[in-house]
């Protein structure tokens, strides 16, 4: 290599190293300072596994859903294992492709999904440890979902257009996923024993998907009954129990008190949500009505909140202001120095925020902006189980 090129490479290396140092030492410290006026007292903190990072993929549902499964293993007295979220995503792609063809192309096809998809894939296809299947091809740093979406949509839309399915269409889809996410091993070793995805789910994870329920809250369906929740990512047209808005947080509270964590989907596009600060609340004022001082401090210290009712919640959903754009795993409850309670939610964007990968959600924010909950049916009170006819 020419001397000039060596110099350029050396300069770039110094810049990258300096950037890494600044991020590691300066940026995290800056974030820590931003939360310094919050004083949280821990009320409940249930055990969970380490924070993961979904990268640039739209697979939060698989990360949060599998985080929930891992916490369930802990609750059940098992040693938790890091479950492969990309195995779950890949098998969900296959099931989604089936529905896409059954509906003659009338279904959105991407890596998005709902928390119940984790249970459905566990039921149909089992699970794998992350060490056995990463969903990343050798030599690559991440899964190529952008390309995968394009090739799958092209292949499936051609099948619909030609109005003919050959017997090997599923194998053809598997080959496309192999090319982008790597092949799934038929057998793998875990702690000195050989497993398949089915035997690993049954013998190691040991969770029965039929013991888990899914809850939503709308004003357009009968309360305390099941209904098909019409949201884009409910591609399986699964049913949810419909509860009044004010009961959502009561369900979460009861679950946490009884030692059960809760997975939830929630809208994070709100001005009251901040990932860097790790705080989510319902601002009393709109952004346009805030002063410069109010804007600059809205996530630094506890703030007053606007109260929301069921009609406002429904209106936001109907106007697409509330969407199921993210999934979180609720593992605890705290209160701030003013006595307001917040849920502690584990995120899947790594540890690069003020709370090392966790977010503190006010109860008002959850009542307003959550779209669905997933939890074990035994986390419900006896009275609510009877009302929902759950046995």
């Amino acid at each position: 290599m020419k001397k000039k090129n060596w110099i350029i490479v050396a300069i770039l290396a110094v810049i990258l190293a300096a950037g890494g140092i600044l991020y590691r030492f300066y940026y995290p410290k800056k974030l820590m300072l931003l939360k310094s006026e919050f004083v949280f007292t821990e009320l409940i903190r249930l055990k969970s596994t380490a924070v993961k990072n979904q990268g640039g993929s739209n697979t939060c549902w698989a990360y949060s859903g599998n985080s929930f499964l891992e916490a369930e293993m802990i609750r059940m007295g098992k040693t938790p294992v890091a479950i492969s979220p990309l195995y779950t995503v890949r098998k969900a792609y296959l099931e989604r492709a089936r529905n896409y063809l059954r509906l003659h192309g009338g279904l959105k096809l991407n890596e998005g999904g709902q928390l119940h998809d984790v249970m459905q894939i566990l039921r149909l296809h089992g699970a794998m440890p992350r060490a056995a299947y990463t969903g990343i091809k050798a030599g690559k740093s991440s899964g190529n979902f952008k390309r995968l979406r394009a090739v799958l949509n092209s292949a499936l839309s051609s099948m619909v257009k030609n109005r003919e399915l050959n017997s090997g269409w599923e194998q053809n889809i598997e080959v496309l996923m192999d090319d982008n996410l790597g092949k799934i091993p038929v057998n793998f070793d875990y702690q000195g024993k050989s497993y398949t995805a089915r035997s690993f789910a049954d013998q190691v994870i040991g969770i029965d998907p039929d013991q888990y329920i899914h809850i939503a809250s709308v004003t357009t369906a009968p309360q305390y009954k099941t209904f098909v929740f019409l949201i884009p990512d409910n591609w399986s047209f699964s049913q949810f129990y419909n509860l009044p808005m004010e009961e959502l947080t009561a369900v979460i509270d009861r679950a946490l008190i009884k030692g059960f964590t809760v997975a939830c989907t929630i809208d994070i596009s709100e001005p009251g949500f901040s990932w860097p600060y790790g705080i989510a609340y319902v601002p009393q004022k709109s952004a346009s009505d805030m002063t410069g001082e109010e804007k600059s401090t809205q996530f630094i210290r506890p703030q007053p909140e606007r109260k929301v009712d069921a009609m406002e919640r429904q209106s936001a959903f109907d106007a697409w202001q509330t969407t199921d754009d993210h999934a979180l795993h609720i593992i605890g409850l705290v209160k701030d120095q003013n006595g307001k309670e917040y849920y502690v939610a584990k995120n899947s964007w790594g540890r690069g925020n003020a709370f090392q990968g966790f977010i503190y959600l006010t109860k008002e924010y959850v009542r307003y902006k959550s779209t669905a909950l997933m939890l074990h049916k035994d986390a419900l009170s006896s009275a609510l189980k009877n009302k929902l006819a759950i046995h």
Side-chain angles (χ1 to χ4, degrees), residues 173-215:
I173 294 301
E174 291 281 11
V175 169
L176 292 176
M177 291 194 286
D178 286 346
D179 289 342
N180 291 272
L181 302 178
K183 290 186 178 181
I184 295 175
V186 176
N187 298 91
F188 56 88
D189 290 334
Y190 177 73
Q191 294 187 346
K193 185 178 178 180
S194 179
Y195 292 93
T196 64
R198 179 75 274 150
S199 64
F200 183 78
D202 295 341
Q203 298 172 25
V204 179
I205 296 177
I207 288 174
D208 178 4
D210 293 335
Q211 300 303 305
Y212 296 83
I213 63 169
H214 312 283
I215 292 172

Side-chain angles (χ1 to χ4, degrees), residues 148-349:
L148 180 59
R149 283 197 303 270
V151 296
L152 285 182
N153 274 286
S154 176
L156 290 167
S157 62
S158 293
M159 294 178 196
V160 171
K161 184 178 180 180
N162 295 332
R163 301 180 65 84
E164 183 177 351
L165 290 179
N166 62 55
S167 59
W169 76 264
E170 288 190 18
Q171 287 73 23
N172 295 336
I173 294 301
E174 291 281 11
V175 169
L176 292 176
M177 291 194 286
D178 286 346
D179 289 342
N180 291 272
L181 302 178
K183 290 186 178 181
I184 295 175
V186 176
N187 298 91
F188 56 88
D189 290 334
Y190 177 73
Q191 294 187 346
K193 185 178 178 180
S194 179
Y195 292 93
T196 64
R198 179 75 274 150
S199 64
F200 183 78
D202 295 341
Q203 298 172 25
V204 179
I205 296 177
I207 288 174
D208 178 4
D210 293 335
Q211 300 303 305
Y212 296 83
I213 63 169
H214 312 283
I215 292 172
S217 179
V218 298
T219 61
T220 54
Q223 293 181 347
Y224 306 108
K225 303 291 185 182
T226 56
F227 74 108
V228 175
F229 197 12
L230 295 179
I231 49 179
D233 282 337
N234 188 15
W235 54 266
S236 61
F237 306 105
S238 295
Q239 294 198 334
F240 294 69
Y241 289 95
N242 186 30
L243 295 188
M245 180 191 83
E246 58 272 13
E247 292 191 30
L248 295 177
T249 48
V251 165
I252 298 172
D253 289 348
R254 169 72 66 170
L256 293 174
I257 290 169
K258 295 177 72 172
F260 293 86
T261 66
V262 179
C264 77
T265 50
I266 198 163
D267 186 292
I268 60 169
S269 63
E270 297 300 304
F273 181 98
S274 173
W275 162 243
Y277 290 84
I279 298 294
Y281 75 107
V282 183
Q284 202 169 54
K285 296 180 180 180
S286 65
S288 59
D289 291 334
M290 287 185 183
T291 65
E293 170 68 13
E294 288 172 330
K295 289 180 181 178
S296 66
T297 61
Q298 66 169 323
F299 298 110
I300 293 177
R301 63 178 70 102
Q303 301 292 330
E305 288 190 282
R306 179 170 55 83
K307 295 295 182 183
V308 179
D309 61 24
M311 293 309 297
E312 184 175 358
R313 173 188 162 90
Q314 185 67 42
S315 294
F317 178 78
D318 290 339
W320 301 357
Q321 295 167 356
T322 295
T323 59
D324 59 326
D325 55 14
H326 197 44
L328 297 167
H329 180 198
I330 297 174
I331 64 163
L333 183 69
V334 299
K335 64 178 180 180
D336 67 18
Q337 58 265 46
N338 299 327
K340 181 187 292 184
E341 294 184 344
Y342 301 67
Y343 294 119
V344 183
K346 178 184 169 187
N347 199 14
S348 54
W349 294 345

Side-chain angles (χ1 to χ4, degrees), residues 14 33 111 182 360:
V14 170
L33 289 174
E111 68 267 26
Y360 290 77

Side-chain angles (χ1 to χ4, degrees), residues 39-44 333-337:
V39 180
F40 288 123
T41 301
E42 189 173 288
L43 302 176
I44 301 172
L333 183 69
V334 299
K335 64 178 180 180
D336 67 18
Q337 58 265 46

Side-chain angles (χ1 to χ4, degrees), residues 23-228:
Y23 177 82
R24 183 175 178 183
F25 293 103
Y26 172 71
Y27 184 61
K29 288 181 180 178
K30 182 180 178 182
L31 286 176
M32 292 300 289
L33 289 174
L34 295 179
K35 62 157 184 167
S36 61
E37 294 188 35
F38 277 96
V39 180
F40 288 123
T41 301
E42 189 173 288
L43 302 176
I44 301 172
R45 185 68 173 241
L46 302 178
K47 291 181 179 179
S48 64
T49 52
V51 171
K52 311 296 192 304
N53 194 335
Q54 70 189 66
S57 64
N58 297 320
T59 56
C60 56
W61 60 273
Y63 278 81
S64 292
N66 280 310
S67 173
F68 174 82
L69 292 182
E70 292 162 9
E72 280 293 276
M73 291 182 71
I74 295 173
R75 181 187 65 80
M76 295 164 66
K78 297 173 176 285
T79 300
V81 58
I83 301 170
S84 171
L86 273 300
Y87 175 82
T88 306
V89 171
R90 177 171 171 149
K91 290 301 182 181
Y93 255 130
L94 181 61
E95 295 302 324
R96 197 164 185 157
R98 289 193 178 108
N99 281 6
Y100 179 94
L101 294 174
R102 287 167 181 150
L103 295 173
H104 298 185
L107 186 71
K108 186 178 180 181
L109 189 70
N110 58 28
E111 68 267 26
Q114 275 286 307
L115 294 164
H116 60 249
D117 296 332
V118 173
M119 291 299 178
Q120 180 73 342
I121 298 307
L122 184 68
R123 178 186 293 108
L124 295 176
H125 300 284
M128 287 188 176
R130 196 172 186 178
Y133 186 72
T134 63
I136 301 172
K137 287 190 71 176
K140 303 292 183 181
S141 60
S142 62
N144 191 347
F145 283 104
K146 183 177 180 180
R147 181 176 182 276
L148 180 59
R149 283 197 303 270
V151 296
L152 285 182
N153 274 286
S154 176
L156 290 167
S157 62
S158 293
M159 294 178 196
V160 171
K161 184 178 180 180
N162 295 332
R163 301 180 65 84
E164 183 177 351
L165 290 179
N166 62 55
S167 59
W169 76 264
E170 288 190 18
Q171 287 73 23
N172 295 336
I173 294 301
E174 291 281 11
V175 169
L176 292 176
M177 291 194 286
D178 286 346
D179 289 342
N180 291 272
L181 302 178
K183 290 186 178 181
I184 295 175
V186 176
N187 298 91
F188 56 88
D189 290 334
Y190 177 73
Q191 294 187 346
K193 185 178 178 180
S194 179
Y195 292 93
T196 64
R198 179 75 274 150
S199 64
F200 183 78
D202 295 341
Q203 298 172 25
V204 179
I205 296 177
I207 288 174
D208 178 4
D210 293 335
Q211 300 303 305
Y212 296 83
I213 63 169
H214 312 283
I215 292 172
S217 179
V218 298
T219 61
T220 54
Q223 293 181 347
Y224 306 108
K225 303 291 185 182
T226 56
F227 74 108
V228 175

